[in-house]
Amino acid sequence: MVSEATNTRKKSVLWDWLTTVDHKKIAILYLIAGTLFFVKAGLMAVLFRIQLIAPEMEFISGQTFNELVTMHGTLMLFLAVTPLFFAFANYVLPLQIGARDVAFPFVNALGFWLFLSGGILLSISWFFGGAPDAGWTSYVPLASREFGGIGIDFYVLGLQISGFGTLISAINFIVTIINMRAPGMTMMRLPLFCWTMLITSMLIVFAFTPLAAGLLLLMLDRVFDAQFFIPGEGGNVVLWQHIFWIFGHPEVYILVMPAFGIISEVVPAFSKKRLFGYTSMVFAVLIIGFLSFMVWMHHMFTVGVGPIANSVFAIATMTIAVPTGIKVFNWLFTMWGGKLRFTTAMHFAASFVPTFVLGGVTGVMLAMAPVDHLYHDTYFVVAHFHYIIVGGIVLGLLAGLFYWYPKMFGHKLNETLGIIFFWVFYIGFHLTFFIQHILGLIGMPRRVYTFLEGQGMDTMNFISTIGAFMMSVAIIILVINIIYSALKAERVTEKDPWDARTLEWSTNTPIPEYNFAQTPQVRSLDPLFYEKIHGNGEMKPAEPLDDIHMPNGSILPFIMSIGMFIGGFGFISFHMDLFISPYVLIAIGGITFFGGMAARSLQNDYGYNIEKETVESMEKELS
Amino acid sequence: MADSVDVKKGLPANPEKATLEGKNKFLGMFVFLAGETTMFATFFGTYLGLRSGTASGPEPADLFQLPLVFIMTMILLTSSLTSVLATYAMKKNQFGKLKLWMWVTFLLGVTFLSLEIYEFVEYYEHGLGYTSSAFASSFYTLVGLHGAHVLFGLGWILLLLLRNRSRGITLYNAPKFYAFALYWHFIDLVWVFIFTVVYLMGIGG
Ligand code: HEM
Ligand SMILES: [Cu+2]
């Protein structure tokens, strides 16, 4: 049987990456793909900021502007930030809980390839009649067949496919965290990044599924002439908004929770103190996760859902400020009186706190239903959510990047370049977005592609665009840093370059495919730190050294994703003039996907064993 | 490799959860079904919101035939029972019975699906096309999606039965049968809601 062959045969590098089910390699794949989408979406922002640099510019057309804004938002939220967090989660999470792998390595690979093929499907829309142009929320009737271009079909199917990938990855994380923790790692000793990824994954399970349903309805409307959102035939347009925001609000927390987690790892590590109020942090995360499903209608205050609904949802929204405040104070108390080391990672983590708070404050302002009529669809909203998204989420991501980089790649990023990067980025960020609060208050609407002279908006828009340029320069500095460090910086051979606290720092660098030769025995919260104080600084093993069982690689996830891609394209091509019928494409795609699934269930994948002797010699070589 | 060993003599009491892999499959399936629940809830919400949007086309009360739907319900409920019998047989390491009950489940599923197709054709002939109204679209989507789940389940069970036709119960395939049974119960549960929310409420008002 094919699957029972062991991994001894040497494979080509490309084949190795296409078939890998190793969580560490999948993490790198996520990191690369997420970064590419991030840069792409960032360039789009720069393009439409150039359009807005001066009144009545004619740099791009209104149509292109709409497409760029839509793609910018969609790419950032679905294809840049989520995969970047998944990169860290995939890499770090099994290590932090002392596991050899994730629960479903095959599903993990499938999740990545589906995410990627959905993203590519969305991106090729430019070549087939235009990108989606109805905003990342794709409100009907703007997005209906009557008014929306073919790009919306790409939006629907691209998100459907990549969302499915995200969903199955989330299930994988949940099962991994619950079932695969090392002995002694109780839930109340779980590192906070694991906690936040657990809650994030649960939010994905409960939020991406309504989205999938909504996207399916929109697809049926657009492609098969269903009547869900067509008022004349009994349909209802506000229904879309409900479905979308039942997904959309938790989505914000899906993005920000892992950032909370990263900050809660980085701050204690560089304050040389245990996280203040661990238990309250855990409960705050749980409460925020729960509440995030209760507030979706604050996005619909101006639709006219009625005063009662508005009041209830306004109050529910403001309630979230309480657990969020708890978290902020806990981070501050962790730093208070600690031995602070201002590494680049710590710069990002510490600066996260004030910017995130500012985004939270404007959020409470927006939650006041009557006042929201003034702010609604102005740049004030744009400023608010970018303070959360960039000032919170992206800073968290960058903190994580600098923090875990040595574990992932075997060398640190250069600290001087890192700190220069930080300041350029941080100043650029405030220049871009702080001023947009004021722009919004004096009445600049969002999603308009130009503005008139003499309304007092010229200078502020100019400054905002300069800020966007600065952030681009910062990203270039980061790229230089990555290249420079790869060429120059010394290899980090020690296990624990930051003097950190959690289990991932107890592994060898580079990490062998089996992670831990012997599963560690966890004796406390911050297990590695505990052993530094109470033991000899090394984790005690929980089992004797023995053969290690590993899963086989497989090409099927890749093939199945291609099937999804072809099938998805088939659904879109109903409104195209192709040489091939959509039904044929759908059939090919379906057979490939379900065929791959069948092949997987017919094959017996018992994995392979790494002999005890091999493990011993590998361990000796590494230490 | 312990998972692949056929433990004919001493299968543990719960072979589906005896290995870590089995435990993972079990929990993973539950989480997946939690997601499916929210997805179906969204379709139910849509249906409830749109079911009076008949746009002067046929209305629920004009169409639904309770006897047929009742028979379909009974068939599906019975198939859930037979899949329980199959898991019982699995726990007792009675491979023949496991297969038998799984095949019965399969056949009941096929019958259900055939009746559903018959039902749809019938409604279509009474003037309820997919695009006739928002009610029509949401009805066919909700019920049809359930049907698609049944179809998927049938393919799944068929693969399981063919692949394992002469293997006996092992710690490797027990979790697979069990995961299928969980899925099948879920499909059944969704149908009970459809029966109530769509058909009974459709006729009763
Ligand atoms: C880093 C540089 C960034 C710049 C300069 C930037 C700029 C902008 C601007 C000016 C808009 C508003 C356009 C309008 O409403 O007229 C916008 C919209 C948006 N941005 Fe960003 N952004 C950046 C980063 C991000 C990131 C990291 C995310 C998410 C992770 C993000 C998510 C969004 C979303 C969701 C929208 C709404 C799109 C829509 O209205 O459909 N942005 N961005
Ligand atoms: Cu919200």
Side-chain angles (χ1 to χ4, degrees):
Chain A
M1 228 161 295
V2 213
S3 55
E4 281 167 15
T6 52
N7 260 17
T8 41
R9 203 159 28 98
K10 207 69 200 134
K11 298 173 193 149
S12 80
V13 177
L14 180 67
W15 183 255
D16 188 34
W17 283 95
L18 291 182
T19 59
T20 186
V21 294
D22 181 352
H23 70 94
K24 298 181 287 297
K25 286 193 173 153
I26 293 174
I28 307 280
L29 288 173
Y30 268 118
L31 190 66
I32 295 169
T35 307
L36 290 179
F37 283 120
F38 186 88
V39 169
K40 188 173 160 205
L43 285 176
M44 290 175 174
V46 171
L47 285 180
F48 63 70
R49 263 323 318 173
I50 296 178
Q51 165 67 22
L52 291 170
I53 195 170
E56 296 181 73
M57 280 281 282
E58 282 174 26
F59 177 63
I60 48 178
S61 71
Q63 174 63 24
T64 312
F65 182 90
N66 287 347
E67 292 175 354
L68 285 175
V69 170
T70 305
M71 283 297 266
H72 162 77
T74 312
L75 287 181
M76 279 294 188
L77 296 177
F78 291 98
L79 302 169
V81 171
T82 312
L84 286 172
F85 281 124
F86 273 19
F88 293 133
N90 251 310
Y91 205 94
V92 174
L93 201 147
L95 300 174
Q96 282 195 331
I97 62 172
R100 293 228 164 83
D101 208 330
V102 290
F104 308 112
F106 181 91
V107 171
N108 202 14
L110 182 62
F112 170 76
W113 292 111
L114 283 177
F115 142 73
L116 186 64
S117 61
I120 294 176
L121 187 61
L122 183 61
S123 303
I124 61 170
S125 57
W126 294 101
F127 308 108
F128 290 92
D133 52 3
W136 85 279
T137 50
S138 272
Y139 276 8
V140 285
L142 197 58
S144 67
R145 183 93 216 102
E146 200 179 348
F147 302 108
I150 191 165
I152 314 280
D153 292 326
F154 282 94
Y155 171 93
V156 169
L157 282 141
L159 290 191
Q160 191 73 277
I161 294 173
S162 76
F164 187 56
T166 308
L167 177 69
I168 59 178
S169 308
I171 295 176
N172 188 20
F173 288 139
I174 294 177
V175 177
T176 306
I177 295 175
I178 294 186
N179 273 359
M180 304 195 39
R181 282 166 289 132
M185 171 73 76
T186 59
M187 286 309 266
M188 287 323 265
R189 288 179 186 170
L190 201 60
L192 254 155
F193 181 62
C194 295
W195 260 116
T196 54
M197 277 314 297
L198 177 64
I199 307 296
T200 302
S201 305
M202 288 184 176
L203 297 190
I204 289 176
V205 169
F206 291 112
F208 269 61
T209 39
L211 175 70
L215 290 173
L216 182 72
L217 298 180
L218 188 55
M219 194 274 276
L220 291 169
D221 256 19
R222 293 183 49 90
V223 179
F224 298 107
D225 297 319
Q227 311 288 356
F228 296 107
F229 306 121
I230 317 289
E233 306 293 332
N236 183 342
V237 284
V238 181
L239 180 67
W240 169 262
Q241 298 193 19
H242 281 296
I243 297 176
F244 188 86
W245 287 114
I246 284 172
F247 145 76
H249 189 81
E251 165 71 4
V252 180
Y253 289 88
I254 291 170
L255 301 175
V256 80
M257 286 275 190
F260 289 168
I262 292 178
I263 301 303
S264 307
E265 300 289 313
V266 172
V267 166
F270 295 114
S271 306
K272 232 176 173 16
K273 263 175 75 187
R274 101 189 300 190
L275 183 69
F276 188 91
Y278 172 87
T279 318
S280 63
M281 283 301 227
V282 171
F283 281 100
V285 175
L286 287 169
I287 293 168
I288 294 173
F290 174 75
L291 284 179
S292 69
F293 280 94
M294 304 293 146
V295 300
W296 80 92
M297 271 211 242
H298 63 212
H299 296 272
M300 299 164 68
F301 284 153
T302 57
V303 176
V305 282
I308 306 280
N310 276 3
S311 323
V312 170
F313 281 87
I315 292 168
T317 303
M318 291 178 209
T319 315
I320 297 193
V322 178
T324 312
I326 293 178
K327 300 191 75 71
V328 169
F329 281 110
N330 281 340
W331 288 318
L332 292 178
F333 287 139
T334 309
M335 286 187 254
W336 190 276
K339 266 197 238 127
L340 302 187
R341 273 180 296 156
F342 275 99
T343 59
T344 312
M346 185 62 168
H347 272 76
F348 281 108
S351 62
F352 167 99
V353 178
T355 43
F356 181 73
V357 168
L358 193 52
V361 169
T362 52
V364 175
M365 293 168 72
L366 289 167
M368 293 184 266
V371 189
D372 185 53
H373 284 264
L374 297 176
Y375 304 130
H376 183 70
D377 268 348
T378 67
Y379 260 78
F380 189 83
V381 175
V382 178
H384 152 68
F385 70 70
H386 281 88
Y387 263 80
I388 300 288
I389 284 176
V390 183
I393 299 166
V394 174
L395 291 185
L397 270 172
L398 291 169
L401 181 73
F402 277 81
Y403 181 57
W404 281 313
Y405 205 86
K407 211 15 96 188
M408 295 176 84
F409 297 102
H411 60 266
K412 286 188 183 177
L413 287 173
N414 180 288
E415 283 287 311
T416 316
L417 280 172
I419 285 169
I420 297 174
F421 163 57
F422 166 79
W423 281 112
V424 179
F425 187 83
Y426 198 62
I427 294 171
F429 156 71
H430 281 293
L431 279 185
T432 315
F433 293 113
F434 189 80
I435 214 140
Q436 291 184 0
H437 291 112
I438 305 167
L439 271 172
L441 291 179
I442 66 171
M444 176 153 163
R446 91 189 252 213
R447 292 175 176 169
V448 288
Y449 91 110
T450 192
F451 56 96
L452 295 177
E453 216 176 331
Q455 298 180 311
M457 296 174 182
D458 308 10
T459 326
M460 284 191 265
N461 267 306
F462 180 78
I463 295 176
S464 183
T465 303
I466 297 302
F469 284 140
M470 263 182 91
M471 278 193 277
S472 318
V473 172
I475 297 292
I476 294 172
I477 299 176
L478 176 64
V479 173
I480 293 175
N481 192 347
I482 290 173
I483 298 171
Y484 172 84
S485 307
L487 298 176
K488 257 304 222 311
E490 298 106 66
R491 302 270 124 197
V492 174
T493 44
E494 78 234 74
K495 296 174 171 181
D496 180 19
W498 303 120
D499 189 14
R501 314 169 72 85
T502 36
L503 271 185
E504 76 267 31
W505 303 104
S506 72
T507 55
N508 285 313
T509 320
I511 310 179
E513 57 184 318
Y514 48 78
N515 295 353
F516 301 90
Q518 289 160 287
T519 306
Q521 174 72 43
V522 174
R523 300 203 285 170
S524 160
L525 182 67
D526 290 346
L528 182 59
F529 189 73
Y530 183 89
E531 298 300 334
K532 285 182 196 165
I533 303 288
H534 300 273
N536 60 358
E538 299 270 336
M539 294 307 297
K540 295 197 173 25
E543 56 172 17
L545 193 65
D546 205 348
D547 293 357
I548 294 177
H549 181 246
M550 298 299 294
N552 281 322
S554 168
I555 190 68
L556 284 176
F558 183 71
I559 293 177
M560 286 165 75
S561 308
I562 293 181
M564 272 282 195
F565 182 89
I566 297 173
F569 191 76
F571 279 105
I572 299 166
S573 69
F574 277 100
H575 296 304
M576 281 185 213
D577 265 336
L578 281 191
F579 57 94
I580 188 168
S581 138
Y583 292 106
V584 175
L585 286 175
I586 294 171
I588 297 177
I591 291 168
T592 315
F593 182 80
F594 289 106
M597 216 167 184
R600 170 69 182 171
S601 61
L602 288 180
Q603 112 200 124
N604 271 357
D605 192 352
Y606 295 127
Y608 64 100
N609 265 13
I610 305 175
E611 312 280 309
K612 186 176 160 186
E613 292 71 38
T614 323
V615 177
E616 266 170 354
S617 69
M618 278 175 89
E619 287 295 302
K620 204 168 285 151
E621 203 177 303
L622 286 170
S623 57
Chain B
M1 301 289 272
D3 294 6
S4 62
V5 182
D6 186 348
V7 264
K8 279 235 164 50
K9 283 143 230 109
L11 207 60
N14 288 310
E16 76 280 0
K17 280 183 276 186
T19 60
L20 178 61
E21 239 188 271
K23 283 191 198 104
N24 287 348
K25 282 214 169 73
F26 178 76
L27 182 60
M29 199 64 211
F30 255 98
V31 180
F32 172 72
L33 293 179
E36 289 264 88
T37 309
T38 20
M39 192 185 72
F40 269 107
T42 315
F43 285 111
F44 273 106
T46 306
Y47 175 79
L48 285 176
L50 300 181
R51 88 191 148 116
S52 50
T54 47
S56 61
E59 296 184 13
D62 305 339
L63 293 165
F64 296 160
Q65 313 163 6
L66 262 199
L68 175 70
V69 186
F70 184 72
I71 293 171
M72 286 166 67
T73 308
M74 283 304 134
I75 291 175
L76 205 60
L77 286 180
T78 315
S79 79
S80 211
L81 179 69
T82 54
S83 74
V84 172
L85 293 175
T87 30
Y88 261 127
M90 182 180 80
K91 291 191 191 207
K92 293 207 209 110
N93 201 6
Q94 296 166 326
F95 186 53
K97 271 196 180 164
L98 167 68
K99 283 195 295 188
L100 176 72
W101 287 124
M102 280 291 177
W103 275 113
V104 176
T105 309
F106 176 78
L107 290 178
L108 288 170
V110 172
T111 321
F112 172 86
L113 205 59
S114 319
L115 287 177
E116 183 155 272
I117 293 169
Y118 166 80
E119 189 202 359
F120 279 8
V121 172
E122 190 82 340
Y123 294 167
Y124 182 75
E125 281 169 359
H126 282 80
L128 192 77
Y130 185 68
T131 58
S132 328
S133 65
F135 157 67
S137 302
S138 57
F139 168 76
Y140 282 123
T141 305
L142 172 60
V143 181
L145 201 77
H146 175 267
H149 275 76
V150 174
L151 182 66
F152 181 81
L154 292 176
W156 184 353
I157 191 172
L158 201 61
L159 276 175
L160 270 179
L161 284 169
L162 293 182
R163 180 64 183 124
N164 295 296
R165 63 189 175 280
S166 54
R167 286 183 147 180
I169 301 165
T170 67
L171 291 183
Y172 182 71
N173 64 20
K176 299 189 174 204
F177 280 109
Y178 199 75
F180 167 78
L182 282 178
Y183 175 84
W184 198 254
H185 290 317
F186 172 77
I187 299 300
D188 217 48
L189 192 69
V190 173
W191 179 260
V192 172
F193 277 93
I194 291 184
F195 181 65
T196 319
V197 171
V198 177
Y199 292 100
L200 289 184
M201 280 169 63
I203 288 186

